[in-house]
Amino acid sequence: MKQIAAGAATVGFGFVLMITVGTAAIGGSGTSASAAAVPGGLKEGAIPAAYLPWVQKAAALCPDESPSLVAAQIWAESGFQDKDGPPTSSGTAKGPAQFIDSTWLVYGKDDDGNGTASPHDVGDAAMALGRYMCSLFDLAKKSGYPGGAPALALAGYNAGWGAVQRYAGVPPYKETSDYVAKIQAKAAEWQLSAPPPVSGSGSGADAVRKAAGYVGVPYVWGGGSPGGPTTGFCDTNNGWLDGACFASGHAGFDCSSLVQNAWWSTLHLPRTAGDQYTATASRPVPMGALSPGDLIFYSHSGSGSDSYHVVMYYGDGKVIEAPKTGKNVQIVPLYTTGGLVGATRPA
């Protein structure tokens, strides 16, 4: 932000989460906050995995933001690097979102729960960028200036809102016009089309809509809570990727925490897949009569209480799930392999 003018489907926990876009609350402390479902998302692999949940969470702060726009802005600011910019008359820009000290004092918070509000922390920086951009979107929409709210807000982030006011639109600075253009182009390149619409109403459809807002969030063994994505951990067999413990360094969901999060506002389901089956087994559903939000369980032993995996029926022959380490929350065709036990209706 250079203001150039003033102004794993293995037995263990028994929870695997299958889903495809994906954010939320993060941090080793497990601190999290509910985030609104974000339409669309980011193409898989577009940005570093450590940034993905925070980008989604920041995009949920206001309706004008999107995951692709937040991601493209951090890319333009720092290339997803923690670095300091060159000294300027406004101060030295710091961290992934390149905040100067005066702006950080207004928008910076300890969002990742590590005890320090720092522009060098991925989570703190992304969320501060989201808050600042939401305020700029509000100014842009009220201004009546031409160019569209996204371009005006981006220009305000780069050059300062005073410069936008001075020129009653995007300032005619080459740096600012290039900044706006490359971010909007990259956002369009990275944008993933919105998940298919969820049919129907009621608690099941609402649960699916909430889960769809996390498409693209990483699968994290032991991660996820009713509040959103969190870091997880590794055991002997789970959470590892390419020889390193992926789960402890990334925020996301496993299969059952995604289901728990999706249903939480209506029904407080237990944490693991096996316990979720036990809690809902009194309401079985034939596989030919599934409705959005129904839970589908898989077990190696054939016993639902021993389920290692759970997915949610999305509708139109599809399920939403968090599949395994190395994959993201996704929407895929309903499958009956892998020890299908059957389906239940939570409420």
Side-chain angles (χ1 to χ4, degrees):
M1 177 178 59
K2 304 183 180 93
Q3 293 196 6
I4 60 180
T10 54
V11 177
F13 274 114
F15 36 74
V16 181
L17 173 54
M18 297 173 69
I19 330 177
T20 23
V21 197
T23 202
I26 301 145
S29 67
T31 301
S32 58
S34 298
V38 181
L42 287 161
K43 291 181 179 177
E44 187 168 357
I47 69 173
Y51 283 80
L52 182 56
W54 288 112
V55 164
Q56 290 288 120
K57 186 174 175 64
L61 292 174
C62 61
D64 302 288
E65 268 291 12
S66 69
S68 60
L69 191 65
V70 174
Q73 194 171 0
I74 296 174
W75 164 80
E77 289 288 347
S78 68
F80 300 106
Q81 300 296 316
D82 176 17
K83 64 181 184 180
D84 290 350
T88 70
S89 59
S90 300
T92 300
K94 302 177 178 68
Q98 292 290 279
F99 271 97
I100 59 174
D101 291 343
S102 58
T103 311
W104 180 257
L105 287 174
V106 178
Y107 296 100
K109 295 182 181 180
D110 180 20
D111 289 283
D112 62 10
N114 69 357
T116 302
S118 171
H120 297 286
D121 292 343
V122 170
D124 296 353
M127 293 299 288
L129 180 149
R131 282 188 287 270
Y132 187 22
M133 283 295 290
C134 287
S135 70
L136 290 168
F137 272 116
D138 188 52
L139 291 171
K141 290 188 292 184
K142 291 176 179 177
S143 71
Y145 300 150
L152 292 168
L154 289 168
Y157 194 96
N158 177 260
W161 186 252
V164 177
Q165 290 178 309
R166 184 175 305 118
Y167 292 98
V170 176
Y173 311 142
K174 185 177 188 303
E175 178 184 336
T176 300
S177 59
D178 288 350
Y179 178 86
V180 172
K182 72 179 181 181
I183 288 174
Q184 291 188 310
K186 183 60 71 173
E189 175 188 335
W190 282 346
Q191 176 68 38
L192 184 71
S193 59
V198 179
S199 61
S201 60
S203 58
D206 289 343
V208 171
R209 292 186 185 100
K210 184 177 183 184
Y214 292 115
V215 170
V217 168
Y219 174 92
V220 172
W221 175 259
S225 74
T230 69
T231 53
F233 58 91
C234 295
D235 62 15
T236 303
N237 300 312
N238 302 288
W240 301 88
L241 185 65
D242 298 329
C245 182
F246 179 88
S248 64
H250 297 81
F253 293 98
D254 56 37
C255 66
S256 56
S257 65
L258 177 67
V259 167
Q260 185 188 52
N261 175 278
W263 271 98
W264 195 256
S265 62
T266 299
L267 181 66
H268 288 191
L269 289 171
R271 178 60 176 80
T272 68
D275 287 346
Q276 288 174 359
Y277 178 85
T278 300
T280 59
S282 62
R283 295 180 293 277
V285 181
M287 294 300 292
L290 293 170
S291 294
D294 288 346
L295 308 185
I296 304 167
F297 295 90
Y298 301 82
S299 170
H300 293 308
S301 70
S303 170
S305 61
D306 192 33
S307 293
Y308 70 87
H309 190 52
V310 58
V311 307
M312 258 197 321
Y313 188 66
Y314 195 93
D316 194 30
K318 298 180 177 64
V319 296
I320 184 167
E321 64 175 358
K324 62 180 181 179
T325 301
K327 298 292 185 180
N328 298 333
V329 172
Q330 62 187 8
I331 300 165
V332 297
L334 170 64
Y335 52 93
T336 57
T337 56
L340 174 68
V341 173
T344 65
R345 184 157 296 160

